């Protein structure tokens, strides 16, 4: 990659004409997991707190954090990742577009049967440009123009400007959600899957105030959920150039157990490297603990975020009794068939069981 110098950034500001201001009191909060680990349960819990504005759906605008590794960090280090910049701008624009239902849904159904994953059908489109409103759209336009200017004149890159623009996009998403329910600017803008653990270090450079809650789950139940989809999911991600868990480019094995085993070892390494550390703003939560010991785990989450229990409206979105049905699936019918039992026995040979007393 060509080396570029760092210069004063291109000026794209969001003015008062749009009605937006720089609200530095909003803290972005990322809830992440490792495919079917139950991160949505924490998202539902935080939806019940008045100081949190939860942006709906998986917020993959930054490709699960891959943008920070492939674009932000290289630029900040004086490199110019031209191809990655083009790819990420395209995915970010797609994210804001409408899904064009049912046209794309039909295309995805056909594509899955054929093992064919064109971006036209499989690129994630959420309609965020419409659902999150004009202020969000204005902030996204500023970010896209800034990236376009960097692409045309990389010597004009300014780390502080790009970081501020990314932060403003997240702020406006959170403000929009709060405003839609008649609330003031939230204390936390909550995003599901904004950044996956492999990209935390790169994201911290761009968003130093962001907090993270990482959710893991009994891998036996996770395997039950992933088993039918793991190969097609990885093939789709590879076709789209997306690596939600920093997956490598090695051929995808036919043996699903080996694919899952490799993945779980990667998860374990990342979680071990990012143990709970207040200086890094990371909290690790086990799904089973949230469901089976809800009171203790909820207090732990709220303490981490310095949220008051008095501003919490429990049992309005998250229902732990219902979530208990997702625990221990691997040992219940119809999942406890002979094939799955053999798979889990193979996995037990190399993966340790969760240290949770009530499992």
């Amino acid at each position: 990659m060509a080396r570029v110098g760092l210069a004063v950034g291109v000026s794209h500001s969001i003015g008062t004409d749009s009605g937006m201001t720089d609200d530095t009191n909003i803290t972005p909060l990322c809830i992440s997991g490792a495919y079917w680990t139950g991160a949505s349960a924490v998202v539902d819990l935080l939806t019940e707190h008045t100081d949190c504005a939860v942006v709906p759906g998986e917020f993959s605008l930054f490709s699960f954090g891959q943008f920070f590794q492939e674009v932000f960090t290289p630029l900040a280090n004086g490199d110019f990742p031209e191809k990655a910049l083009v790819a990420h701008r395209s995915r970010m624009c797609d994210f804001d577009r409408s899904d064009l239902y049912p046209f794309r849904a039909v295309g995805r159904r056909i594509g899955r049967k054929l093992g064919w994953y064109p971006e036209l059908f499989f690129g994630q489109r959420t309609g965020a440009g419409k659902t999150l409103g004009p202020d969000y759209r204005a902030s996204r336009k500023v970010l896209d123009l800034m990236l376009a200017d960097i692409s045309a004149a990389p010597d004009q890159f300014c780390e502080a400007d790009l970081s501020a623009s990314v932060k403003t996009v997240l702020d406006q998403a959170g403000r929009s959600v709060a405003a839609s329910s008649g609330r003031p600017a939230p204390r936390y803008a909550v995003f599901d899957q904004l950044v996956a653990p492999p990209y935390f270090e790169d994201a911290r450079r761009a968003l130093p105030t962001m907090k993270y809650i990482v959710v893991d789950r009994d891998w036996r139940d996770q395997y039950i959920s992933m088993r039918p989809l793991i190969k097609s999911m990885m093939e789709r991600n590879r076709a789209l150039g997306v690596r939600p868990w920093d997956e490598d480019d090695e051929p995808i094995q036919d043996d699903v157990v080996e694919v899952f085993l490799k993945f779980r070892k990667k998860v374990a390494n990342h979680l071990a490297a990012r143990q709970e550390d207040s200086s890094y703003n990371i909290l690790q939560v086990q799904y089973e603990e949230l469901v089976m010991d809800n009171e203790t785990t909820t207090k732990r989450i709220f303490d981490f975020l310095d949220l008051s229990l008095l501003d919490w409206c429990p049992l309005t979105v998250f229902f732990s009794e219902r979530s208990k049905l997702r625990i221990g699936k691997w040992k219940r019918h119809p999942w406890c068939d002979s094939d799955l039992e053999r798979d889990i026995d193979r996995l037990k040979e190399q993966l340790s069981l969760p240290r949770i007393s009530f499992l």
Side-chain angles (χ1 to χ4, degrees):
M1 291 185 291
R3 300 286 299 178
V4 298
L6 303 185
V8 176
V10 183
S11 177
H12 289 299
S13 61
I14 302 177
T16 55
D17 290 345
S18 69
M20 290 187 286
T21 59
D22 178 22
D23 193 335
T24 56
N25 292 323
I26 300 176
T27 299
L29 172 59
C30 168
I31 314 300
S32 65
Y35 302 127
W36 288 279
T37 54
S40 60
V42 175
V43 172
D44 288 346
L45 174 70
L46 294 174
T47 304
E48 298 178 336
H49 201 286
T50 58
D51 282 338
C52 296
V54 175
V55 178
E58 287 192 355
F59 198 81
S60 62
L61 178 66
F62 300 104
S63 299
F64 306 97
Q66 192 177 334
F67 168 84
F68 299 107
Q69 183 197 71
E70 294 186 346
V71 175
F72 191 94
T73 294
L75 286 170
N77 289 339
D79 294 323
F80 179 38
E82 183 176 7
K83 290 183 179 180
L85 185 52
V86 171
H88 280 280
R89 280 190 67 207
S90 176
R91 284 199 291 268
M92 291 163 76
C93 289
D94 253 2
F95 179 84
D96 286 338
R97 293 188 178 116
S98 168
D99 188 46
L100 298 177
Y101 184 86
F103 168 70
R104 281 176 26 102
V106 172
R108 287 192 291 270
R109 190 176 298 115
I110 295 171
R112 289 190 189 99
K113 290 182 179 180
L114 299 176
W116 174 59
Y117 305 99
E119 189 170 0
L120 174 64
F121 298 130
F122 287 90
Q124 187 171 24
R125 297 189 182 187
T126 67
K130 179 178 181 180
T131 59
L132 294 180
D135 288 351
Y136 168 81
R137 289 197 299 271
S139 67
R140 273 284 296 117
K141 182 177 180 181
V142 169
L143 176 59
D144 190 59
L145 287 172
M146 187 176 292
L147 293 174
D149 284 345
I150 293 170
S151 186
D155 62 325
Q156 295 299 299
F157 166 73
C158 174
E159 180 176 346
D161 284 356
L162 184 54
S163 177
S165 185
V166 169
K167 175 65 163 60
T168 300
V169 168
L170 301 181
D171 287 352
Q172 296 309 323
R175 288 164 66 91
S176 171
V177 171
S180 68
S181 59
R183 290 184 288 151
R187 183 173 170 191
Y188 287 100
V190 182
F191 301 92
D192 186 14
Q193 310 303 329
L194 173 61
V195 179
Y199 304 114
F200 282 0
E201 296 298 331
D202 297 286
R204 282 198 193 102
R205 184 164 184 173
L207 297 163
T209 64
M210 185 153 71
K211 291 192 173 186
Y212 306 81
I213 297 178
V214 182
V215 186
D216 198 21
R217 182 185 181 193
D218 184 339
W219 58 259
R220 293 169 294 187
D221 282 332
Q222 184 185 25
Y223 180 71
I224 295 297
S225 299
M226 289 185 67
R227 185 179 188 249
L229 302 169
I230 188 168
K231 286 190 63 181
S232 62
M233 177 185 69
M234 290 187 171
E235 288 170 354
R236 179 201 64 198
N237 288 343
R238 181 167 296 184
L240 297 175
V242 177
R243 298 179 293 108
W245 263 79
D246 197 20
E247 288 89 347
D248 56 40
D249 293 328
E250 294 181 5
I252 301 171
Q253 295 176 274
D254 290 329
D255 188 339
V256 177
V257 171
E258 288 299 322
V259 173
F260 182 79
L261 182 61
K262 180 179 178 181
F263 169 71
R264 272 309 304 188
K265 287 183 176 180
K266 178 185 282 286
V267 171
N269 289 338
H270 279 293
L271 295 182
R274 291 160 181 81
Q275 285 295 329
E276 210 170 297
D277 187 328
S278 59
S279 66
Y280 277 179
N281 289 331
I282 297 174
L283 178 72
Q284 293 188 18
V285 172
Q286 189 75 18
Y287 173 77
E288 290 80 10
E289 291 176 338
L290 176 62
V291 173
M292 303 300 291
D293 192 4
N294 179 247
E295 183 177 346
T296 301
T297 309
T298 296
K299 185 177 185 305
R300 185 164 160 251
I301 291 171
F302 286 178
D303 286 347
F304 170 69
L305 300 173
D306 192 27
L307 293 175
S308 172
L309 289 169
L310 298 177
D311 297 317
W312 174 38
C313 303
L315 299 178
T316 54
V317 181
F318 174 62
F319 302 94
S320 60
E321 288 300 317
R322 296 179 188 174
S323 297
K324 288 179 181 178
L325 298 175
R326 298 186 62 208
I327 295 177
K329 291 197 308 180
W330 61 274
K331 57 186 176 181
R332 297 197 300 266
H333 182 79
W335 296 284
C336 59
D337 62 39
S338 57
D339 287 344
L340 284 172
E341 285 181 341
R342 284 195 296 268
D343 285 357
I344 289 174
D345 286 341
R346 284 180 60 193
L347 290 165
K348 282 180 182 178
E349 294 174 3
Q350 298 193 53
L351 297 177
S352 59
L353 297 179
R355 297 179 181 177
I356 302 173
S357 59
F358 42 73
L359 286 183

